Amino acid sequence: MQNKTVIKIENLRKVYTSIAAVDDISFEVNEGEIFGMVGPNGAGKTTTIECIEGLRQPESGNIKVLGLDPHKNEYALRPRVGVQLQQSALPHRIKVWEALDLFAAFYSSSVNWQELINQLGLEESRNLPFARLSGGQKQRLFIALALINDPELVFLDELTTGLDPQARRTMWDMVINIRDNGKTVFLTTHFMEEAERLCDRVAILDKGKIVALDSPENLIRNLGAEHRVVFTVQDNIEPNVAELHRLAAVTLVETIGERVVVHGQGDRLVVEVVNFLSVNSIRFRDLRTEQPSLEDVFIALTGREMRN
């Protein structure tokens, strides 16, 4: 059974002065998936999502969201989508419950905001004013406001920027829960780990163009990148360690002091390295493997590391 298309973008282009922030991109988002758009700051992610949300008018291209044009049918579309913007704010003195009660009044039909407070872990802060909320609590509140109308499609723009690692992982659990409750999620992020953990499919955007689009697993697999085995040796045995390069699965051996990095391919890389160390009585510790990641894909496609 073919998936229903929730978002359809054809030849989207948005220009600021003489710079094309979004340069003739096309893609589709399917019902029930978490679709991610990733890339460095300035790649065009927020401009793209704001054009799709109807907040910016593109120079050219066709946009369909739930079968509707977000610029011509904004009033019909608004009750069916939820939006968390990259930069959002509320009056400093408004309390959590007051914000939810206010936003619920904007829609003819809304979910029980009392349940949202419980689901998103806001019960203890329900009576706190917005100005006293932590970064994580503010983000949870903005998610609650995006869900207040029980939308079919949820937009999350740079959801976890500025959050500590624990709060970030809490947000990841919330995003997965939103998808598991039957909604489609479109998110943007410049954290490759976040996209790899959450997204069913990912579009990598750079300088306004989509340079790759597939599932994270397929993007990494098609890269054909090397695996790495990293460990620390306790003795000065550099000549012996250098012999690792003779193993069939090994392509490169790097030594930096006591730290050794073995590059290679194939499922037997780790087995061959550990066997070699054991047979040659080389004492080692802190051995770990490093798998190719979406960031490796990005570097391969764009020739540089992620920029902040």
Side-chain angles (χ1 to χ4, degrees):
M1 182 176 178
Q2 190 173 10
N3 291 332
K4 177 182 176 182
T5 300
V6 173
I7 299 174
K8 186 177 180 64
I9 307 300
E10 296 178 320
N11 307 115
L12 180 65
R13 182 176 172 83
K14 176 64 179 176
V15 177
Y16 298 112
T17 60
S18 60
I19 299 174
V22 180
D23 193 2
D24 193 30
I25 65 173
S26 302
F27 63 93
E28 296 181 359
V29 177
N30 298 321
E31 184 178 38
E33 74 173 338
I34 300 176
F35 182 91
M37 180 164 282
V38 304
N41 289 335
K45 304 185 302 298
T46 293
T47 296
T48 299
I49 199 172
E50 289 183 351
C51 287
I52 298 171
E53 293 164 348
L55 300 177
R56 294 186 185 274
Q57 181 69 51
E59 266 65 43
S60 59
N62 296 316
I63 304 173
K64 291 294 182 182
V65 179
L66 298 170
L68 301 173
D69 185 318
H71 299 280
K72 296 178 181 178
N73 310 113
E74 57 179 319
Y75 293 108
L77 190 59
R78 197 168 293 167
R80 302 175 64 188
V81 302
V83 176
Q84 173 266 323
L85 299 173
Q86 182 176 359
Q87 295 182 338
S88 302
L90 290 170
H92 286 183
R93 294 184 179 181
I94 193 169
K95 297 178 181 178
V96 169
W97 76 265
E98 291 174 333
L100 287 163
D101 191 51
L102 174 64
F103 273 62
F106 295 158
Y107 301 97
S108 59
S109 177
S110 63
V111 300
N112 185 332
W113 57 259
Q114 299 274 7
E115 294 181 1
L116 279 180
I117 282 181
N118 294 329
Q119 292 170 2
L120 296 177
L122 291 169
E123 183 60 41
E124 293 185 359
S125 55
R126 60 178 291 134
N127 289 314
L128 287 180
F130 179 76
R132 289 181 56 191
L133 299 179
S134 68
Q137 289 170 328
K138 287 179 180 178
Q139 291 292 58
R140 275 181 266 171
L141 176 56
F142 290 133
I143 291 178
L145 296 176
L147 299 176
I148 195 72
N149 57 321
D150 194 22
E152 302 167 49
L153 171 63
V154 182
F155 292 98
L156 304 174
D157 189 9
E158 300 286 1
L159 176 66
T160 63
T161 298
L163 298 185
D164 61 67
Q166 183 177 355
R168 181 173 297 151
R169 280 163 175 75
T170 299
M171 291 297 165
W172 292 353
D173 291 338
M174 292 180 186
V175 173
I176 292 172
N177 188 57
I178 291 170
R179 189 270 311 276
D180 290 346
N181 284 332
K183 304 183 188 306
T184 304
V185 178
F186 185 117
L187 64 84
T188 70
T189 180
H190 65 274
F191 295 115
M192 288 298 187
E193 181 187 5
E194 183 166 284
E196 194 170 335
R197 293 280 190 94
L198 294 178
C199 297
D200 298 297
R201 289 190 303 135
V202 171
I204 298 179
L205 196 67
D206 189 44
K207 295 182 179 180
K209 291 184 176 293
I210 293 177
V211 295
L213 197 164
D214 208 332
S215 69
E217 295 81 4
N218 286 341
L219 288 171
I220 294 169
R221 185 183 305 113
N222 293 336
L223 176 65
E226 295 179 329
H227 296 254
R228 295 177 291 273
V229 180
V230 183
F231 58 91
T232 301
V233 294
Q234 296 175 311
D235 303 304
N236 184 16
I237 52 172
E238 185 173 337
N240 290 338
V241 172
E243 292 299 313
L244 279 164
H245 79 276
R246 297 182 182 278
L247 299 178
V250 174
T251 58
L252 176 67
V253 179
E254 297 178 301
T255 57
I256 307 171
E258 295 182 338
R259 185 170 178 265
V260 181
V261 182
V262 182
H263 302 254
Q265 295 180 331
D267 296 334
R268 291 191 52 80
L269 175 64
V270 178
V271 174
E272 289 188 11
V273 170
V274 172
N275 285 344
F276 175 89
L277 296 174
S278 298
V279 168
N280 289 274
S281 300
I282 298 175
R283 293 186 299 167
F284 65 92
R285 55 184 169 83
D286 303 330
L287 186 143
R288 69 180 187 276
T289 61
E290 295 180 352
Q291 307 296 326
S293 67
L294 267 183
E295 188 159 347
D296 293 313
V297 175
F298 181 89
I299 294 170
L301 291 172
T302 66
R304 62 186 183 279
E305 295 185 0
M306 288 290 293
R307 303 182 298 272
N308 290 327

